[in-house]
Amino acid sequence: MKKKCAFTIVAKNYIGLGLILEQSIRKYYSDFDFYIVVADEPSATDLPQNVIIARHNLDIDGDIWDEMAFKYNLTEFCTAIKPSSITYFLNLGYKKVIYLDPDILFFSSIEPIFQDLNHYKLVLTPHICSIPQYGTTDAPETDWTKCGIFNLGFLGVSDSEFSRSILSWWQKRLNHHCFIDSSRGEYTDQKWMDFMPAFCTEKDLLVSKDLGRNLAPWNFFERKVQKINNEYFVSNRYSDDTTVFKLIFTHFSGYNYKEMLKGNVFQKNISNLKDYPDIRHLSIEYAKTISDNRDAFERYINSEYSYDRFDDGRKITKFDRLIFESLLEEGYQFKTPFRTSGELYHLFKRNKLLETNSDSCLSDTNQSISNKIKTANKVLRIIFKIVGKNKYSQIIRAFSLYRSPRDHSHIIKI
């Protein structure tokens, strides 16, 4: 065993992306161990040797595991087990551990990051590294106030008592607060890392301003890529600073990887993302890498998430997850929430929640949603005319108390 490792966390459908990530790192650097932590439960027996089944290995109580797996969606759950995964590798004896999202491709050696961990306990990368010019960002700057200053698609940790205390603190919070919910100040595991500059000394934490680390859609506007002698370099698009950084890795967050396999490259999460010709070359290279590893990618990509259904095959909706979380906050406990023999399933059945397709609105077309909004606006105008401004103001303030499914646990009769 080596003294340093890198790993990713995936649901089983992204095991292929994890293998592609590993291959891209080893192309430039090999003196490390690499692991793929699978958050759900693969049924395949022919898994790669470096796959770690999280439930069987992480130090998370079984009842807490079931609660987290039920109340969190796939993205929330995979991020919620990150601190425990890092601690697992530290307990194996690794002195330096690097976490990477699976949708990352390396363009040069990871070694500089391992070198930083000789001097720092934590290494983080901010979403952006310079003051944006007004109107140059592809997404509203308020997105970063919602999702956090740092992007946790990357994190470096060296073993120390302080690092372990941070990981323990972080995991305890993520057991209960790893939702994507800006109204509660939560954004998966990521928002919690905003505390790090307050908790850490300058000797503990490196906030890396290296533009060649974690190049991603949210900072394409900031970073210009050049290819020189078959190597990629990154500089600031708008600043007078002429510093050039070697591109280490690009994070292709939010891309449609199935479409990339077909040669179609588009980003799903940032609707106004500009087409940067210099970035296009990197995206095409990632698409080609996926295509070159088609067998590994296709072997797993259509696997269904293990925690998406009750054990009778009935779909667990977002509404179900948030109602469950609300009941937990009220002090109720439910063993084996996924089982049809369990108390939660029977409670949902008695209250007719199983017959309600509460997520149907998520698949509505934009036109359908627009029509519903128009209808709702007409109804609200009628209410305004009937009750007047003061009572109308009270009514809409009351609506805010019921903005989330978790605010509707009153519909359930225990």
Side-chain angles (χ1 to χ4, degrees), residues 5 7 9 37 58 81-94 96-100 121-122 152 154-159 163-164 167 170-171 189 193:
C5 77
F7 78 100
I9 300 173
V37 175
L58 303 190
I81 64 172
K82 194 179 297 179
S84 287
S85 298
I86 297 171
T87 301
Y88 168 79
F89 292 115
L90 294 178
N91 288 341
L92 286 182
Y94 291 105
K96 304 173 187 177
V97 178
I98 293 175
Y99 169 78
L100 298 158
K121 298 177 178 69
L122 301 173
L152 266 290
F154 160 80
L155 171 65
V157 179
S158 63
D159 194 11
S163 302
R164 288 173 180 263
L167 293 170
W170 194 18
Q171 185 61 66
D189 64 323
M193 287 295 100

Side-chain angles (χ1 to χ4, degrees), residues 229-283:
N229 296 326
N230 287 324
E231 291 186 306
Y232 288 103
F233 296 88
V234 187
S235 58
N236 195 299
R237 285 189 191 276
Y238 301 107
S239 172
D240 293 332
D241 185 353
T242 58
T243 306
V244 176
F245 303 85
K246 181 176 283 192
L247 175 59
I248 297 180
F249 67 90
T250 302
H251 187 173
F252 292 95
S253 176
Y255 282 79
N256 186 318
Y257 311 110
K258 286 185 178 181
E259 287 298 318
M260 276 189 151
L261 187 63
K262 304 173 186 176
N264 303 322
V265 177
F266 59 89
Q267 214 277 346
K268 300 177 294 182
N269 293 347
I270 302 178
S271 58
N272 295 321
L273 185 66
K274 298 181 183 70
D275 180 18
Y276 298 97
D278 54 321
I279 301 296
R280 195 184 312 143
H281 295 296
L282 306 180
S283 304

Side-chain angles (χ1 to χ4, degrees), residues 379-398:
V379 172
L380 290 174
R381 282 197 295 271
I382 292 171
I383 294 174
F384 177 81
K385 290 179 180 179
I386 293 173
V387 303
K389 181 179 74 173
N390 290 338
K391 288 186 177 180
Y392 181 80
S393 176
Q394 294 172 9
I395 290 171
I396 60 175
R397 283 202 301 271

Side-chain angles (χ1 to χ4, degrees), residues 18 50 68 73-74 108 114 148 175 197 208 228 235 238 250 263 267 337-338 367 370 381 386 389-390:
N50 61 341
M68 292 166 64
N73 65 27
L74 185 157
S108 64
F114 280 123
N175 288 350
S208 177
I228 304 172
S235 58
Y238 301 107
T250 302
Q267 214 277 346
F338 293 95
Q367 183 61 47
S370 176
R381 282 197 295 271
I386 293 173
K389 181 179 74 173
N390 290 338

